[in-house]
């Protein structure tokens, strides 16, 4: 997979301080949208026809329900919740026709409502089936039909207001993606640095100690993928997404690079942990190659730790990484010639590092001579 040059990303305008401050506090815009939607729903509900206007407080409830992190999820949750409330209202109305409000009616409503709530299409909103049916059966027992219409109608109006506010002020959760990508980079860098530290020790770690040094990378990788998926989903139907297209593209490119680097880190870690320990009869690297390998791992970790390298700093880090891997390759070749044997394991470490470095920097690492 060809990777874009880091220079491409440096040409993109970085977000300003105010934009960065706003995006790093995703709960703040969510709270503002919820507050605006609730107030508008309250005002609108008071001017709806009777019996809806008799219960205006259900308007803000619907608005809050529909206020989520993305426009798509707002539409989905609003539809599911209204459907669940409608199911509960229908259930309560039917039970009220047959039974007076009491223990028997409650048992039937709760039992049947719980079964309906388990329908997968309702998702987490299924809990509203039982809630709405109990409200209508108990609170609205003096006028169950009117209360059911008001409860469902006013909540639905509030949900529509919440969706409208989400469409006018659409959320775009990009900060979480950036945070998860940074966490993934840190995990990968720490793993490489830990390997380097172990290789520099006079007494190599035992096999059991090496195993304890293995980092669990998959959760960080999964989190970064999920965060990017949420960012892409939030851009659908989002009029403000065009202003942040570069940011989303940058996150996608970054994830592609880090996925390749994660494969490199996993491969190198496996080789070192399983074949370069104090109990190994035929070490993977041996004393002659451990130092050069540790230097390459440290250089790679340094590049990963610099989340936004620019200018001379980026060039210096890339040169150090390239030079250290080339030096390791030369050392492997020299060791192979000197012993007349095979160093396939050490060569595999070199190839893996070259592949990861090419993905990270956007440049192929020149082979050693």
């Amino acid at each position: 997979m060809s990777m874009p040059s880091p220079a491409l990303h440096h040409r993109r305008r970085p977000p300003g301080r105010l934009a960065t401050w706003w995006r790093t506090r995703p709960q703040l815009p969510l709270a503002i949208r919820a507050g605006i939607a609730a107030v508008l729903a309250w005002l609108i509900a008071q001017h709806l026809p009777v019996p809806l206007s008799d219960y205006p407080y259900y308007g803000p409830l619907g608005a809050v329900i529909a206020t989520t992190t993305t426009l798509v999820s707002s539409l989905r949750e609003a539809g599911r919740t209204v459907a669940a409330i409608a199911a509960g209202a229908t259930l309560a109305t039917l039970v009220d026709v047959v039974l007076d409000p009491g223990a028997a009616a409650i048992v039937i409503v709760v039992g049947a409502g719980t079964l309906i709530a388990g329908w997968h299409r309702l998702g987490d909103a299924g809990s509203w089936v039982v809630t709405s049916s109990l409200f209508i059966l108990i609170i609205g027992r003096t006028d169950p039909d009117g209360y059911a219409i008001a409860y469902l109608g006013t909540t639905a109006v509030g949900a529509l207001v919440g969706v409208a506010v989400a469409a006018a002020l659409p959320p775009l959760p990009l900060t979480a993606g950036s945070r998860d990508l940074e966490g993934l980079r840190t995990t990968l860098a720490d793993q490489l640095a830990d390997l380097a530290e172990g290789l520099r020790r006079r007494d190599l770690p035992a096999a059991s100690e090496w195993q304890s040094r293995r980092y669990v990378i998959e959760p960080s990788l999964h989190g970064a993928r999920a965060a990017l998926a949420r960012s892409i989903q939030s851009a659908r139907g989002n009029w403000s997404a065009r202003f942040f297209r570069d940011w989303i593209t940058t996150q996608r490119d970054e994830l592609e690079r880090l996925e390749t680097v994660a494969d490199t880190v996993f491969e190198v870690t496996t080789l070192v942990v399983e074949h370069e320990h104090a109990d190994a009869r035929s070490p993977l690297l041996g004393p002659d190659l451990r130092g050069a390998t540790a230097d390459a791992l440290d250089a790679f970790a340094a590049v990963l730790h610099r989340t936004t390298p620019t200018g001379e700093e980026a060039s210096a880090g890339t040169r150090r990484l390239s030079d250290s891997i080339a030096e390791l390759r030369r050392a492997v070749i020299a060791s192979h010639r000197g012993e007349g044997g095979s160093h396939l394991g050490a060569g595999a470490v070199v190839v893996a590092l070259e592949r990861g470095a090419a993905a990270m920097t956007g440049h192929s690492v020149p082979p050693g001579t």
Side-chain angles (χ1 to χ4, degrees), residues 140-171:
R141 60 185 177 182
T142 57
D143 183 18
D145 293 339
Y147 184 83
I149 293 173
Y151 187 14
L152 176 61
T154 309
T155 304
V157 169
L160 289 174
V161 172
V163 171
V165 171
L169 303 171

Side-chain angles (χ1 to χ4, degrees), residues 294-340:
D295 290 343
L297 296 177
D298 274 337
F300 210 143
V303 170
L304 284 168
H305 273 308
R306 297 189 181 96
T307 56
T308 55
T310 58
E312 190 61 32
E313 181 186 17
S315 299
T318 300
R319 283 196 303 271
R320 180 191 170 197
L321 176 58
S322 178
D323 292 345
S324 62
I325 295 176
E327 180 60 32
L328 175 59
R329 174 179 279 273
R330 286 191 290 268
V332 171
I333 293 174
S335 178
H336 168 65
R337 290 172 179 169
E339 296 182 7

Side-chain angles (χ1 to χ4, degrees), residues 10-365:
H10 301 330
R11 289 196 296 268
R12 292 172 179 156
R13 179 183 299 177
R17 289 185 178 181
L18 180 60
T20 300
W21 181 87
W22 179 261
R23 295 170 195 166
T24 53
R25 291 160 177 81
Q27 289 302 117
L28 181 58
L30 182 64
I32 292 175
R33 282 192 300 273
I36 292 175
V39 168
L40 291 176
W42 167 260
L43 295 175
I44 292 173
Q46 295 182 68
H47 295 86
L48 294 174
V50 175
L52 278 68
S53 59
D54 292 338
Y55 304 94
Y57 39 83
Y58 287 128
L61 174 64
V64 172
I65 290 171
T67 302
T68 60
T69 54
T70 69
L71 177 58
V72 173
S73 61
S74 291
L75 285 167
R76 182 173 59 248
E77 288 306 310
R80 287 177 172 176
T81 302
V82 171
I85 292 175
T90 302
L91 175 62
T93 302
L94 292 175
V95 171
D96 183 71
V97 171
V98 179
L99 299 171
D100 291 330
I106 291 175
V107 168
I108 294 174
V109 161
V110 171
T114 301
L115 292 175
I116 297 172
W119 189 31
H120 70 280
R121 291 191 178 277
L122 292 178
D124 293 337
S127 61
W128 285 100
V129 176
V130 176
T131 301
S132 63
S133 61
L134 286 174
F135 273 27
I136 293 167
L137 188 67
I138 298 174
I139 300 177
R141 60 185 177 182
T142 57
D143 183 18
D145 293 339
Y147 184 83
I149 293 173
Y151 187 14
L152 176 61
T154 309
T155 304
V157 169
L160 289 174
V161 172
V163 171
V165 171
L169 303 171
L172 196 60
L174 297 175
T175 302
S178 298
R179 191 164 49 239
D180 281 304
L181 287 170
E182 183 177 350
L184 176 57
R185 290 179 70 124
T186 300
T187 300
L188 295 173
D190 289 346
Q191 174 67 91
L192 293 175
D194 205 340
L195 290 177
E197 189 277 331
L199 290 174
R200 285 199 171 94
R201 285 171 48 173
R202 172 178 294 182
D203 298 323
L204 275 178
S208 59
E209 184 182 346
W210 266 135
Q211 289 295 338
S212 68
R213 287 171 175 254
R214 296 189 76 156
Y215 286 48
V216 181
I217 297 173
E218 189 59 33
S220 297
L221 189 58
H222 176 75
R225 287 169 176 161
L228 177 61
R230 287 193 296 270
S231 296
I232 293 174
Q233 182 192 57
S234 69
R236 297 173 184 168
N238 191 330
W239 61 265
S240 68
R242 64 181 183 271
F243 299 113
F244 306 101
R245 203 166 287 137
D246 282 352
W247 195 343
I248 295 176
T249 300
T250 299
Q251 288 188 353
R252 183 188 291 112
D253 293 344
E254 176 80 346
L255 179 58
E256 288 180 356
R257 289 195 298 273
L258 291 179
E259 284 177 328
T260 302
V261 173
D263 289 339
T264 292
V265 172
F266 177 80
E267 183 176 350
V268 172
T269 301
T270 300
L271 289 169
V272 171
V273 167
E274 295 183 359
H275 302 287
E276 191 70 17
H277 52 80
D279 307 318
R281 293 184 178 180
S282 300
L284 178 80
L285 303 170
D288 295 338
L289 299 177
R290 288 173 195 155
T293 303
D295 290 343
L297 296 177
D298 274 337
F300 210 143
V303 170
L304 284 168
H305 273 308
R306 297 189 181 96
T307 56
T308 55
T310 58
E312 190 61 32
E313 181 186 17
S315 299
T318 300
R319 283 196 303 271
R320 180 191 170 197
L321 176 58
S322 178
D323 292 345
S324 62
I325 295 176
E327 180 60 32
L328 175 59
R329 174 179 279 273
R330 286 191 290 268
V332 171
I333 293 174
S335 178
H336 168 65
R337 290 172 179 169
E339 296 182 7
S342 175
H343 282 278
L344 295 178
V349 172
V350 174
V351 172
L353 289 175
E354 287 176 342
R355 183 174 65 252
M360 196 67 238
T361 65
H363 302 287
S364 298
V365 177

